[in-house]
Amino acid sequence: MYFFSLFLKYSHFFYLPSLSGSKKYKSFVTFLDYEGLIRSERSERYLPQIQSGRLGAALRHAKKNVPFWKEKKFESAKLENFPVIGKQEIKKDFEKFISIGISSSDYFEDVTSGTSGIPLSFLSDKRFLLRRSVMHKRGNSWAGFAEADKTFRVLRREIPGLEGLGTFYKFSDKETLIKDKDGLYNILSSSDFALYSFSSFLTSFAELVEKDDVTVSLKAIVSTGEKLTPFYKELCKKVFRCDVFDSYSMREFGRIAQECGEHNGMHINSEMFLIEVIGIGGERIEDGREGRIVITSFDNYVMPFIRYDTGDIGRIIRERCGCGRILPRIFLSGRASDTIRLRDGKKIHPSELYKIFNRRFKEVKQFQIVQRTITNIEVNIIPTEIFRSEEKEKIQREIRTELKENVYITVNIVDKLDLTPGGKIPVFVSELTD
């Protein structure tokens, strides 16, 4: 393990020249990377050393080579000296976040999906694209499946670094999916695939498979984007005859965390990221408590993301998992910007209401909460066959109890929920203006 820990700790020295390296060199680097990762995730001795070494290298690089951080004139490249930054800061001073002396051959331009309402253009380091394939393979191994060439990935757009790994299908809308369904049935029935996709595709595809009464047996499903509702998670398990694993990914970073077979939080790829949970004032929050998720990535020397506010809310625990891995686990609750505002000025995160629907997973397939005004909230529900009309009144009453205020609540029964341009279905929508 000592040899692999040294490789991981100083892996940037091996990845930085990878663009000009031979095919054999790239295969050698990714082999060492994967073998090191599956060992470090169970090593209480070496994992902290690896993360500390990689964090230090990233911070020193940022302090020395990135104008935005150089202007801060830190005495030392310690994490606490770096302020938390978000999309707005990067958009405002975009050029200052780019490392000096970088060649155009070292990076590619990318853009986030804009789920938060603020699409962010950024530069990603080409030299670390190889690592994304390793992270992909590691995630599959946590789902009990490590053969990357049998992965079926369904997304709105391809993920840089994963081209050529398995099969890619571009999901645009349900109408196109219906046209392509027979071809998908044939492909996915021909081999043991691990399916990686947004929950919006998984819900639509699972319903088609059930309706058409076809057999599509998968090895595993890894869901990304918005979390599957309990109803659809059970439906996917039933029709695809496999387990379903939640994952946490961002366009800026690739796969950040994923569930293992214990399904008790998502293991963080701690050799590639440091995740902090912070409060409103930027203070660090103790493990187990919820706060804003802030990420420092170790794998972008072109445009380093240091203490980057993701806009997500969650908590972290560090106890050893039942699977034996010591990687910290993250639990997500939603977006920090998702807020129900009430007349008395009180603000409530909509996740406080999700339990009302999750305990009705046999009656509610999917739901969406929409705040129209301060005193008007609509709930859109896609019901199951056993949903009874009297449940609408019960849901209204339970929401008022949680909010502790007499808000006008309308419960609508709908056939579908609209997708965002990024292919997601937001659980909460606010139409309030500041």
Side-chain angles (χ1 to χ4, degrees):
M1 179 60 213
Y2 177 69
F3 168 77
F4 288 108
S5 70
L6 285 178
F7 171 82
L8 290 174
K9 188 174 181 178
Y10 300 106
S11 56
H12 54 287
F13 289 120
F14 295 89
Y15 273 102
L16 290 176
S18 65
L19 287 179
S20 57
S22 65
K23 187 175 181 180
K24 285 186 177 180
Y25 176 79
K26 293 176 181 178
S27 296
F28 176 67
V29 169
T30 54
F31 168 78
L32 290 180
D33 208 3
Y34 181 73
E35 292 297 318
L37 290 175
I38 61 174
R39 289 167 171 79
S40 66
E41 64 190 30
R42 299 175 185 273
S43 175
E44 292 182 346
R45 176 182 178 184
Y46 289 109
L47 181 62
Q49 297 176 20
I50 293 166
Q51 186 181 60
S52 176
R54 299 215 64 214
L55 173 64
L59 296 180
R60 288 190 295 272
H61 169 82
K63 178 179 180 293
K64 181 180 179 181
N65 299 289
V66 181
F68 183 86
W69 304 120
K70 288 182 69 175
E71 292 175 3
K72 302 297 180 183
K73 300 187 184 323
F74 304 142
E75 289 186 9
S76 60
K78 293 183 178 180
L79 186 64
E80 56 267 27
N81 291 334
F82 289 73
V84 175
I85 54 103
K87 290 183 178 180
Q88 293 287 14
E89 288 88 348
I90 295 176
K91 288 167 72 74
K92 180 182 177 182
D93 290 315
F94 185 83
E95 297 295 331
K96 289 186 176 182
F97 282 93
I98 302 172
S99 297
I100 58 176
I102 292 297
S103 167
S104 60
S105 62
D106 293 334
Y107 66 85
F108 64 92
E109 296 182 36
D110 208 343
V111 63
T112 63
S113 64
T115 302
S116 64
I118 311 175
L120 173 70
S121 296
F122 64 96
L123 305 184
S124 195
D125 200 325
K126 279 185 180 179
R127 298 165 294 186
F128 287 97
L129 284 181
L130 275 176
R131 171 156 272 160
R132 291 195 176 185
S133 66
V134 178
M135 293 165 66
H136 182 75
K137 185 177 180 181
R138 182 194 215 181
N140 282 355
S141 74
W142 292 349
F145 188 66
E147 295 298 325
D149 61 340
K150 288 187 179 180
T151 301
F152 197 87
R153 293 176 293 109
V154 182
L155 301 164
R156 288 271 172 166
R157 48 185 173 148
E158 179 62 287
I159 299 174
L162 299 187
E163 302 92 342
L165 285 181
T167 305
F168 174 76
Y169 172 76
K170 183 178 180 180
F171 173 59
S172 53
D173 52 61
K174 190 171 183 178
E175 288 69 28
T176 304
L177 173 60
I178 292 173
K179 293 178 183 177
D180 296 343
K181 65 177 183 177
D182 291 333
L184 292 174
Y185 293 161
N186 290 333
I187 293 172
L188 292 172
S189 299
S190 64
S191 184
D192 287 331
F193 280 100
L195 177 59
Y196 177 80
S197 185
F198 285 117
S199 60
S200 54
F201 168 83
L202 294 172
T203 57
S204 297
F205 192 48
E207 288 182 329
L208 285 176
V209 171
E210 183 180 49
K211 179 182 177 183
D212 293 344
D213 194 24
V214 296
T215 300
V216 179
S217 297
L218 301 174
K219 188 75 173 180
I221 292 174
V222 178
S223 174
T224 189
E226 68 279 21
K227 193 174 181 179
L228 281 168
T229 65
F231 173 85
Y232 279 115
K233 180 170 278 192
E234 291 303 314
L235 179 63
C236 286
K237 290 180 181 179
K238 172 187 170 185
V239 300
F240 298 120
R241 305 177 186 186
C242 67
D243 206 351
V244 180
F245 301 82
D246 293 328
S247 71
Y248 179 33
S249 299
M250 293 179 64
R251 192 76 184 181
E252 299 93 314
F253 308 121
R255 201 175 307 193
I256 300 166
Q258 184 188 301
E259 281 186 318
C260 67
E262 295 293 315
H263 299 288
N264 185 21
M266 295 179 286
H267 286 292
I268 299 168
N269 283 305
S270 296
E271 301 89 346
M272 290 81 165
F273 308 103
L274 176 71
I275 297 185
E276 302 172 80
V277 180
I278 65 170
I280 297 175
E283 72 283 4
R284 285 192 184 181
I285 292 178
E286 63 187 30
D287 291 346
R289 291 181 55 204
E290 285 195 345
R292 299 178 72 98
I293 302 299
V294 171
I295 295 182
T296 297
S297 170
F298 310 148
D299 287 343
N300 191 339
Y301 276 54
V302 172
M303 191 174 189
F305 284 90
I306 309 294
R307 303 199 77 194
Y308 177 67
D309 190 340
T310 64
D312 293 318
I313 294 289
R315 61 187 176 91
I316 289 176
I317 61 173
R318 301 184 190 277
E319 293 83 3
R320 182 187 288 270
C321 180
C323 70
R325 296 179 179 89
I326 65 165
L327 295 169
R329 285 166 282 157
I330 187 170
F331 300 77
L332 298 178
S333 300
R335 300 289 296 173
S337 58
D338 290 350
T339 304
I340 297 175
R341 290 159 51 188
L342 303 175
R343 281 179 297 185
D344 61 0
K346 186 169 60 175
K347 296 180 180 180
I348 296 176
H349 196 274
S351 61
E352 296 293 323
L353 305 181
Y354 296 167
K355 60 189 175 185
I356 294 173
F357 305 95
N358 289 340
R359 60 174 169 251
R360 290 182 167 87
F361 72 94
K362 292 184 178 180
E363 293 87 21
V364 176
K365 292 182 180 179
Q366 208 162 9
F367 68 93
Q368 184 181 69
I369 301 169
V370 182
Q371 183 167 21
R372 302 290 186 190
T373 69
I374 286 288
T375 58
N376 190 335
I377 292 176
E378 289 188 14
V379 178
N380 299 316
I381 288 177
I382 301 177
T384 67
E385 294 178 353
I386 65 173
F387 185 87
R388 298 177 298 174
S389 58
E390 52 263 36
E391 283 298 315
K392 294 170 65 174
E393 186 176 338
K394 292 180 181 178
I395 289 172
Q396 292 171 327
R397 187 166 58 250
E398 289 176 28
I399 291 176
R400 290 193 188 97
T401 299
E402 287 293 332
L403 297 180
K404 297 181 175 61
E405 189 163 327
N406 189 21
V407 178
Y408 184 75
I409 299 166
T410 304
V411 178
N412 303 315
I413 302 301
V414 299
D415 295 324
K416 67 176 183 177
L417 300 173
D418 294 332
L419 297 175
T420 66
K424 301 177 182 179
I425 299 176
V427 181
F428 176 76
V429 177
S430 176
E431 295 183 351
L432 299 182
T433 56
D434 290 334

